[in-house]
């Protein structure tokens, strides 16, 4: 009651400044403050961390639930939870999919800090999974958001036996791939640059190995994957279409362990263990392909192509340590590189093309109180691409890249079980190098101008509030304010015309060339219906200050990242979506239908006829044209979560168009990644403890492209007239992949010397073998089309043909995985 009197004292002080207020308003204020004071006395908060009982790692998305009051909460990305309820003694449940539900009777007459470990129980895994994840599909405000279990990803068929996270998300509705084997992914009609890809909160600009056939994410080092394709919350920004969060494993805090695998084209190894038992841990993971060794053995030394090779490697490192009960630090790192070289000794021609990512993140968690959690993050990102070629005495090299230094501070406040608030700030300093070119012939060095470098500051502040209006309606509302400054030093090339020559404008160091800013409102709503299904709706408005320019039909390392400038304006997009969500068969099956519409402004494309060499002694944005676009569609999703048979069916019906004043005569045209139909069927069946089979079937409308409609001969040269932009569609893409996994015995019998009883203990070495077949029925899917001519014009048998290039036939592979 003392707190109530203090509140009353504050009100009496306020009244001296509010004489003009009516007595009715004062009574309302008085009632609110007294209610707040009394409710604060009548409630207690249970908070802490939920951890894996076998490894000590914190668990993301674990649930703390109190059946008596039907209240609960889930852990954040660091395993922290906070739940405020009326004072009393309760039976508390701690749940996590794939683990045994733990219960504990807790006296909540005062605030309680409880860090809880949950041990796995494989015998009850099906029952536990149902309980833990039963109603999240319908109860949460998440719309257009899907969380993937890394163990589920590992059971699916994999190209060349290499488990791939991004290939898996391409099987989800609303997400499509760039092309056969392509790494770029497109979400609800957005481009590949409109996806915010995060690895432990650090930005990944190129998530591809092997020209897009594999992702940079080593599944053995990954803890969780979360995809947001609609209803983006206010704590995320900088991209228009989606967020892909990838969180790395923390490492085992209880014992040392080793796991890895040997596959058809690559091998991997992971080592983890405690820095100090139950206080800190580390994990180191690496992998490398050996295509270069295979090519070296397969290509004779006398061949003109001897010396051609390709390989990639990457490393992941993560360490964490609990400084105090309220403070934890995390250090994450990633480095990966691709090395491609091609040579033709007959022509004395050589090409070298390396590219790679370097990423680092340092984070500090602090618990101010049972209701206030803070995370401070510092990030570093460095992406570089190089191309070098030589022939005889001539050499040419091109470099492109982007380097970021970032910092952010995020707070989460938990007033009560029906209310959660997030707020924070973030900042990134960008250094873009769109093009740096050098060339020389013997002793002659060509003047290619100075390397282009662009500098910019990007920052944002946000507030997000999620609250229940009543038992049926929950709202997640947020507002983000973002800013972007393009600063010097910078040289602006001003292209002249016949009467006016080209000129330049020089900007000094730190001089603000252009400043952009804007508000980004976000809101999503969940309305529970009487039959426990739910209706959801969401709206988001986003600014995007970075662009990806591409001259190719597919996403390649040669694509150039470019910032917003005084000429290239920030992309702006908005998306609205509605959906119906329902569970069946006692929550074993999840179903949803979502409709969306997305509008996009200030999109970029290269001008007609633009070439990479045009970037020399010019600004990239002088070669760009600007337009707008839209995308709309409906997504159907049906997922069976548990049982011997699991999997999902996803289908998307959509349309994506663009319009540019300077392209296609100003007429609207289909985007190159427009897919009218996109169907995925994924299934896994557990035959017994030793065998599991999986399959994935994909059907999608073909990509669009521009082909000639007629041809003619002029001055003994063959010329073409082209149709409207992207007016031709390739043949539909479809493919079936299958796999079978054999698991060795995990436990062995052992006689207890003291009791004489036979007990089961875990074997030191545990193995499994994965046999997979990619493209089972050998479908010749189109990678790209090109125009060629056959015959002789004078002989009268000359004809023009459109030919198709196909990459992958049926490909079997075998991978041996081990753990000890």
């Amino acid at each position: 009651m003392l707190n109530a009197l203090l509140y009353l004292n504050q009100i009496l002080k306020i009244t001296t400044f509010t004489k003009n207020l009516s007595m009715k308003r004062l009574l309302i204020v008085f009632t609110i403050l007294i209610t707040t004071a009394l409710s604060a006395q009548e409630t207690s908060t249970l908070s802490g961390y939920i951890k894996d009982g076998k490894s000590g790692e914190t668990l993301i998305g674990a649930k703390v639930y109190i059946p008596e009051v039907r209240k609960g909460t889930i852990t954040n990305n660091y395993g922290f939870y906070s739940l405020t309820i009326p004072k009393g003694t309760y039976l508390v449940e701690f749940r996590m999919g794939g683990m045994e539900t733990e219960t504990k009777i807790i006296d909540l007459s005062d605030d309680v800090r409880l860090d809880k470990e949950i041990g796995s129980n494989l015998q009850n895994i099906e029952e536990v999974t149902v309980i833990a994840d039963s109603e999240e599909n319908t109860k949460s405000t998440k719309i257009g958001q899907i969380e993937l279990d890394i163990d589920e990803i590992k059971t699916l068929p994999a190209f060349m036996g290499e488990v791939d996270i991004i290939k898996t998300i391409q099987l989800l509705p609303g997400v499509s791939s760039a092309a056969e084997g392509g790494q770029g992914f497109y979400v609800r009609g957005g481009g590949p640059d409109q996806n915010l890809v995060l690895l432990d909160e650090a930005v990944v600009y190129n998530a591809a190995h092997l020209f897009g056939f594999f992702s940079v994410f080593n599944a053995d080092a990954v803890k969780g994957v979360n995809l947001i394709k609609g209803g983006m919350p206010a704590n995320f920004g900088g991209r228009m279409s989606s967020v892909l969060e990838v969180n790395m494993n923390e490492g085992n805090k209880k014992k040392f362990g080793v796991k890895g695998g040997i596959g058809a084209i690559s091998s991997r190894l992971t080592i983890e263990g405690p820095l100090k038992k139950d206080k800190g841990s580390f994990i180191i993971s690496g992998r490398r392909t050996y295509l270069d060794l295979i090519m070296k053995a397969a290509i004779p030394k006398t061949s003109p192509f001897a010396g051609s090779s390709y390989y990639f490697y990457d490393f992941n490192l993560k360490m964490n340590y609990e400084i105090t009960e309220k403070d934890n630090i995390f250090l994450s790192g990633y480095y990966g590189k691709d090395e491609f070289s091609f040579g033709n000794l007959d022509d004395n021609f050589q090409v070298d093309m390396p590219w790679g990512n370097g990423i680092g993140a340092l984070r500090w968690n602090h618990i101010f109180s049972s209701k206030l959690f803070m995370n401070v993050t510092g990030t570093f990102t460095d992406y570089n691409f190089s191309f070098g070629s030589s022939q005889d005495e001539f050499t040419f090299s091109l470099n492109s890249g982007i380097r970021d230094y970032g910092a952010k501070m995020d707070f989460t406040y938990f007033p009560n079980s029906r209310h959660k608030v997030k707020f924070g700030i973030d900042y990134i300093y960008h250094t873009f190098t769109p093009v740096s070119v050098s060339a020389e012939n013997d002793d002659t060095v060509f003047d290619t101008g100075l390397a282009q470098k662009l500098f910019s500051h990007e920052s944002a502040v946000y507030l997000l509030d999620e609250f229940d209006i009543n038992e049926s309606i929950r709202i997640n509302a947020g507002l983000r304010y973002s800013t972007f400054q393009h600063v010097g030093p910078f040289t602006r090339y001003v292209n002249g015309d016949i009467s006016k020559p080209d000129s330049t404008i020089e900007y000094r160091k730190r001089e603000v060339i252009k400043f952009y800013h804007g508000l980004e409102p976000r809101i999503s709503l969940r309305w529970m219906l009487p039959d426990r299904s739910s209706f959801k709706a969401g709206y988001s408005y986003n600014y995007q200050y970075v662009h990806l320019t591409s001259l190719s039909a597919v996403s390649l390392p040669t694509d150039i990242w470019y910032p917003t400038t005084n000429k290239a304006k920030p992309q702006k997009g908005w998306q609205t979506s509605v959906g119906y969500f329902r569970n069946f068969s006692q929550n074993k099956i999840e179903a949803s239908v979502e409709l969306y519409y997305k509008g996009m402004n200030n999109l970029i494309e290269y001008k007609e006829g633009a070439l990479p060499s045009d970037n020399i002694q010019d600004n990239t944005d002088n070669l760009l044209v600007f337009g707008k676009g839209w995308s709309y569609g409906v997504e159907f999703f049906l997922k069976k979560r548990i049982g011997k048979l699991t999997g999902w069916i996803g289908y998307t019906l959509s349309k994506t168009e663009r319009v540019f004043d300077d392209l296609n005569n100003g007429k609207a045209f289909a985007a190159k990644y427009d897919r009218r139909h996109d169907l995925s069927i994924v299934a896994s069946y557990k035959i017994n403890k030793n065998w599991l089979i999986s399959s994935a079937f994909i059907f999608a409308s073909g990509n669009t492209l521009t082909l000639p409609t007629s041809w003619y001969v002029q001055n003994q040269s063959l010329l073409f007239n082209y149709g409207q932009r992207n007016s031709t569609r390739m043949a539909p893409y479809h493919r079936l992949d299958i796999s079978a996994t054999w698991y060795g015995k995990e436990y062995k019998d052992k006689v207890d010397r003291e009791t004489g009883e036979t007990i089961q203990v875990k074997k030191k070495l545990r193995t499994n073998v994965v046999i997979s077949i990619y493209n089972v029925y050998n479908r010749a899917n189109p990678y790209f089309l090109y125009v060629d001519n056959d015959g002789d014009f004078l002989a009268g048998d000359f004809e023009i043909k459109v030919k198709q290039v196909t990459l992958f036939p049926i490909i079997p592979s075998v991978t041996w995985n081990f753990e000890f």
Side-chain angles (χ1 to χ4, degrees):
M1 196 62 190
L2 177 61
N3 287 336
L5 294 174
L6 291 174
Y7 273 102
L8 180 59
N9 181 52
Q10 292 297 319
I11 292 172
L12 292 174
K13 291 180 180 179
I14 292 171
T15 56
T16 61
F17 301 98
T18 57
K19 293 181 178 179
N20 294 328
L21 289 177
S22 66
M23 181 59 70
K24 184 177 180 180
R25 291 181 178 178
L26 285 175
L27 287 173
I28 292 173
V29 173
F30 178 80
T31 303
I32 291 173
L33 292 176
I34 287 295
T35 302
T36 303
L38 292 176
S39 64
Q41 294 181 3
E42 296 170 356
T43 60
S44 294
T45 301
L46 176 66
S47 63
Y49 289 93
I50 307 297
K51 302 179 181 180
D52 187 323
K54 293 194 173 182
S55 68
E57 285 196 58
T58 57
L59 297 174
I60 301 172
K63 190 168 185 178
V64 180
Y65 184 70
I66 301 178
E68 184 178 340
V69 292
R70 300 181 64 183
K71 300 295 181 185
T73 187
I74 61 173
T75 57
N76 64 12
N77 282 355
Y78 299 94
F80 179 79
Y81 72 93
S82 176
L83 179 61
T84 300
I85 58 171
K87 291 183 177 183
T89 301
Y90 300 99
L91 176 70
V92 183
E93 296 180 354
F94 301 89
R95 308 171 176 175
M96 184 66 189
M99 293 185 177
E100 182 181 12
T101 296
E102 304 258 347
T103 60
K104 186 178 180 67
I105 297 175
I106 302 175
D107 179 8
L108 287 176
S109 57
D110 203 350
D111 291 350
V112 174
R113 164 72 184 268
L114 177 65
D115 296 339
K116 181 67 177 175
E117 291 189 347
I118 302 176
S120 61
N121 185 337
L122 298 181
Q123 293 179 348
N124 296 332
I125 188 170
E126 295 181 10
E127 179 184 352
V128 171
T129 303
V130 177
I131 295 174
D133 300 319
S134 58
E135 297 180 330
E136 189 68 15
N137 177 53
T138 56
K139 281 192 171 183
S140 74
T141 57
K142 297 174 183 176
I143 182 169
Q145 185 168 339
I146 299 176
E147 296 178 6
L148 292 173
D149 182 82
I150 192 64
D151 291 328
E152 182 180 26
I153 293 174
K154 289 181 178 180
T155 65
L156 301 181
F159 175 67
M160 300 294 285
E162 190 66 33
V163 176
D164 196 315
I165 289 170
I166 292 185
K167 289 291 188 298
T168 303
I169 70 168
Q170 290 172 354
L171 298 172
L172 299 173
V175 185
S176 59
S177 62
E180 170 78 85
Q183 187 59 54
F185 65 99
Y186 306 92
V187 178
R188 292 184 170 179
D193 61 323
Q194 295 175 2
N195 304 313
L196 179 62
V197 182
L198 300 172
L199 179 62
D200 274 357
E201 300 192 41
V203 177
V204 181
Y205 283 97
N206 188 325
H209 282 309
L210 189 57
F211 299 100
F213 299 119
F214 299 105
S215 78
V216 298
F217 303 116
N218 182 348
D220 285 346
V222 172
K223 180 179 183 178
V225 181
N226 182 37
L227 175 68
I228 304 172
K229 55 184 179 174
M232 188 185 299
N235 54 308
F236 294 108
R239 300 295 187 274
M240 291 201 304
S241 285
S242 74
V243 179
L244 177 62
E245 281 188 287
V246 180
N247 294 298
M248 289 173 55
N249 280 322
E250 298 170 5
N252 197 313
K253 290 184 178 180
K254 297 182 178 295
K255 62 180 182 179
F256 289 92
V258 177
K259 61 183 175 181
I262 300 174
I265 64 169
S266 67
S267 293
R268 62 192 188 280
L269 182 68
T270 300
I271 303 173
E272 61 181 335
L275 294 171
K276 183 178 180 181
K277 190 173 181 180
D278 294 327
K279 294 285 286 184
S281 61
F282 75 92
I283 182 170
I284 302 174
S285 187
R287 60 178 175 167
R288 189 192 191 279
T289 60
Y290 23 81
L291 280 174
D292 55 326
L293 304 178
I294 297 173
M295 293 173 69
K296 185 176 181 180
I299 302 175
K301 293 182 178 180
T302 56
S303 170
F305 305 108
S308 299
S309 99
Y310 170 81
Y311 66 93
F312 75 76
Y313 62 87
D314 55 32
F315 298 97
N316 293 84
L317 167 68
K318 188 169 183 178
M319 296 186 291
N320 70 93
Y321 196 82
E322 181 184 320
I323 303 173
T324 70
E325 286 188 352
K326 294 184 176 182
D327 298 275
N328 290 272
I329 57 171
F330 302 82
L331 176 64
S332 306
Y334 167 86
Y335 183 78
K337 195 170 186 180
D338 290 64
E339 294 278 359
F340 171 77
S341 62
F342 173 80
N344 188 324
L345 299 179
D346 289 347
D347 296 330
N348 196 25
F349 176 72
Q350 180 70 31
V351 170
D352 295 294
M353 192 160 53
W355 70 93
N357 293 282
I359 297 169
L362 178 63
R363 292 174 289 177
W364 167 45
N365 296 163
H366 178 71
I367 302 173
F368 286 97
S369 69
S370 60
K371 294 186 178 183
L372 183 60
F373 180 88
M374 179 192 72
N375 179 61
V376 178
T377 305
T379 61
F380 170 79
T381 298
D382 187 36
Y383 168 67
N384 281 288
F385 165 80
S386 298
F387 174 87
S389 67
S390 62
Q391 187 168 24
D392 298 328
E393 302 299 325
F394 178 77
T395 60
F396 172 84
S397 66
L398 180 149
N399 295 280
S400 177
I402 178 172
R403 176 173 291 183
D404 287 351
Y405 295 93
K408 59 185 300 189
M409 183 179 292
D410 302 285
F411 295 86
T412 307
Y413 178 58
F414 306 87
N416 54 59
S417 61
R418 299 176 62 173
H419 194 186
K420 181 171 70 175
V421 179
K422 287 185 178 182
F423 56 96
I425 58 174
D426 61 64
Y427 166 80
I428 301 176
Y429 177 66
H430 299 285
T431 302
F432 293 84
T433 307
V435 176
S436 175
V437 177
S438 64
E440 61 181 85
N441 188 13
D442 199 5
D443 295 330
T444 303
V445 179
F446 297 96
D447 180 14
T448 57
L450 298 175
Q452 292 186 40
K453 280 204 172 184
L454 295 93
F455 307 92
S456 55
H457 303 273
E458 183 177 355
S459 60
V461 58
Y462 73 88
L463 173 65
L464 180 155
D465 194 356
E466 182 172 274
F467 55 93
D468 292 348
I469 294 179
N470 52 41
E471 293 296 329
S472 298
I473 299 176
R474 176 178 295 174
I475 293 177
N476 184 315
L479 185 64
R480 184 180 183 90
Y481 173 71
S482 61
T483 70
F484 187 88
Q485 294 183 75
H486 177 207
V487 298
F490 177 65
T491 301
R492 164 61 66 192
Y493 291 88
V494 181
N495 296 331
D497 51 32
I498 296 176
S499 61
K500 184 180 179 181
D502 293 352
S503 61
T504 60
I505 301 174
E506 298 292 339
Y507 293 93
R508 300 184 308 274
K509 187 175 182 179
R510 297 194 206 48
E511 180 179 357
V512 177
I513 302 166
K514 189 67 177 178
F515 175 74
Y516 295 96
H517 65 106
L519 290 173
E520 305 176 35
R522 319 279 177 82
I523 187 169
S524 58
L525 174 146
R526 180 226 64 197
W527 178 24
M528 291 295 298
L529 301 176
D531 60 358
R532 309 308 297 166
S533 62
S534 65
F535 170 83
K536 300 181 185 182
Y539 172 85
S540 61
Y541 190 90
N542 300 67
Y543 278 75
Q544 179 170 327
Y545 298 103
V546 297
H547 314 269
L548 187 66
T549 59
S550 176
L551 287 169
S552 64
V554 295
S555 180
L556 293 174
T558 52
D559 296 346
I560 295 173
W561 285 97
Y562 199 78
T564 289
T565 64
N566 55 351
K567 190 166 186 177
K569 296 180 181 180
Q571 298 181 56
K572 299 178 184 179
W574 62 273
Q575 180 181 175
T576 182
S577 54
V578 295
Y580 177 73
F581 297 76
R582 183 166 183 169
N583 292 355
F584 299 93
S585 300
Q586 297 180 329
N587 298 310
K588 295 179 182 179
I589 298 175
E590 296 178 356
S592 64
V593 180
E594 293 186 47
L595 294 91
Y596 68 89
Y597 185 95
K598 179 188 293 184
M600 297 164 280
N601 293 318
N602 300 331
L603 301 178
I604 65 169
E605 292 278 359
Y606 270 110
K607 294 178 179 177
E608 296 281 9
L611 298 172
S613 59
D614 295 337
N615 285 294
I616 299 174
Q617 292 189 334
D618 202 349
N619 304 122
T620 299
D621 55 8
N622 285 333
L623 309 175
L624 304 177
V625 293
F626 308 94
K628 60 183 179 180
W630 52 86
S631 177
Y632 52 90
V634 57
E635 300 168 359
F636 300 88
F637 190 53
L638 183 69
K639 182 174 184 178
K640 187 173 186 294
R641 300 188 62 92
I642 56 152
K644 286 193 171 184
L645 176 65
T646 60
W648 68 81
I649 300 174
Y651 171 72
T652 305
L653 174 66
S654 63
K655 187 173 185 178
T656 304
E657 292 185 309
R658 303 284 187 264
V659 60
F660 288 71
D661 291 338
D662 299 299
L663 299 178
N664 203 45
N665 297 317
K667 298 178 181 178
F669 57 88
K672 62 185 178 184
Y673 30 81
D674 172 55
R675 294 278 181 87
R676 191 73 68 250
H677 303 280
D678 205 328
L679 171 70
S680 299
I681 303 175
V682 179
S684 295
Y685 183 75
K686 189 173 183 180
I687 300 174
N688 51 43
K689 291 182 178 180
N690 299 108
W691 283 98
L692 181 139
I693 57 174
S694 300
S695 65
F697 174 76
I698 304 169
F699 177 91
S701 302
N703 285 349
T704 63
L705 75 162
T706 308
L707 288 178
T709 56
S710 62
W711 59 271
Y712 61 96
V713 177
Q714 181 175 313
N715 297 328
Q716 297 183 347
S717 297
L718 181 63
L719 303 175
F720 296 98
N721 291 316
Y722 284 85
Q724 292 193 4
R725 191 178 183 91
N726 294 342
S727 57
T728 302
R729 191 175 290 274
M730 296 184 191
Y733 181 98
H734 52 90
R735 190 187 80 237
L736 174 66
D737 306 330
I738 61 173
S739 69
T741 304
W742 174 81
Y743 295 93
K745 288 185 177 181
E746 190 173 357
Y747 294 89
K748 64 179 181 180
D749 292 337
K750 184 179 179 179
V751 177
D752 190 315
R753 293 182 179 181
E754 295 183 0
T755 64
E757 296 180 354
T758 300
I759 59 174
Q760 283 196 326
V761 295
K762 206 168 193 177
K763 297 176 67 175
K764 290 185 177 180
L765 177 63
R766 301 171 296 281
T767 64
N768 67 73
V769 178
V770 182
I771 304 169
S772 61
I773 302 177
Y774 180 88
N775 196 5
V776 172
Y777 52 85
N778 201 29
R779 161 72 174 174
N781 285 303
Y783 186 60
F784 65 84
L785 306 180
Y786 70 97
V787 177
D788 197 9
N789 58 279
D790 292 326
D792 185 88
F793 186 74
L794 297 177
D797 59 353
F798 181 82
E799 60 180 343
I800 300 292
K801 292 183 177 180
V802 176
K803 296 185 178 180
Q804 174 180 303
V805 174
T806 298
L807 287 183
F808 300 117
I810 180 172
I811 301 177
S813 62
V814 179
T815 303
W816 177 63
N817 300 306
F818 59 88
E819 182 178 359
F820 58 87

